[in-house]
Amino acid sequence: MHSATKYLGGHSDLTAGAVMGSAELLKPIWNWRKSLGQIIAPEVAFLLSRSLRTLVVRVRAQNAGAEAVARFLAGHPKVVETRHPALLEGRAAEIAARQMRGSGGMVTFTVDGDEAGATAVVDRLRLIANAVSLGSVESLATQPVASTHHDLTPEERDRRGIAAGLVRLSIGLEDPEDLIADLDQALSG
């Protein structure tokens, strides 16, 4: 179980945790504890325990799928930029290799064009669902300018590197070839 728990941080559909410390350190969260309860429901504990058994396998598959998708997008003529740790070079790649086991399931890419062009690409996706989430076992796509960062001014989005054509993917467990085919048809549309 130890090897699975180190991957758990924020990756599971279920949320649970433990907070330990002195009474003084715990005082700021006392009311939250009273409101939310002290233990998770037995069903949630069972599902969490069961999902931990396959977490390492799922994360490895997600990493491999995301890397394949990122490499495809990096070479696509309608994509002007692709961001994923597997694409890093030089010192950045060395740092990532020291800090990470695998390269993660998140991929961002910028469609050549504007927000409407990126929206059209996302709308044409068939396998990859359009949803604002980090996903689970299914792959998801979202446009930060139309969802998570829509309330920012264009200048603030530019300052943060959020281009109008930016699409964020959370890669799930589907066959990478199927994901690539879906992205290819959406970008070619």
Side-chain angles (χ1 to χ4, degrees):
M1 182 96 79
H2 174 70
S3 64
T5 58
K6 62 184 154 197
Y7 287 106
L8 184 58
H11 188 74
S12 177
D13 288 339
L14 307 171
T15 303
V19 179
M20 292 164 246
S22 68
E24 183 180 328
L25 288 174
L26 298 178
K27 191 179 260 183
I29 64 164
W30 180 257
N31 286 331
W32 280 102
R33 185 203 57 82
K34 286 188 340 186
S35 298
L36 300 176
Q38 296 188 71
I39 61 170
I40 59 177
E43 297 86 1
V44 173
F46 166 74
L47 292 171
L48 183 58
S49 175
R50 186 177 71 176
S51 71
L52 283 174
R53 293 180 187 132
T54 61
L55 184 60
V56 172
V57 174
R58 290 182 283 125
V59 169
R60 285 181 184 149
Q62 183 184 39
N63 286 340
E67 183 174 341
V69 165
R71 293 194 185 284
F72 162 77
L73 290 168
H76 198 284
K78 293 199 177 166
V79 173
V80 295
E81 181 181 26
T82 305
R83 297 180 194 166
H84 185 264
L87 303 177
L88 295 172
E89 296 177 350
R91 177 126 171 86
E94 292 170 14
I95 293 169
R98 277 197 317 268
Q99 294 179 347
M100 301 173 72
R101 285 189 185 181
S103 50
M106 300 299 298
V107 179
T108 61
F109 67 100
T110 304
V111 175
D112 188 12
D114 57 9
E115 182 179 347
T119 298
V121 169
V122 171
D123 286 347
R124 285 191 293 267
L125 291 169
R126 295 181 188 135
L127 176 62
I128 301 170
N130 183 358
V132 182
S133 175
L134 297 180
S136 179
V137 296
E138 68 279 345
S139 293
L140 305 173
T142 189
Q143 286 179 265
V145 298
S147 58
T148 57
H149 294 78
H150 75 279
D151 59 338
L152 298 179
T153 65
E155 296 78 24
E156 181 61 18
R157 286 194 300 261
D158 285 345
R159 189 182 74 73
R160 295 182 184 199
I162 303 167
L166 185 72
V167 177
R168 183 186 73 183
L169 299 175
S170 174
I171 301 300
L173 299 180
E174 302 91 347
D175 187 309
E177 290 180 16
D178 292 340
L179 296 172
I180 289 168
D182 191 27
L183 286 159
D184 193 33
Q185 66 80 25
L187 287 161
S188 299

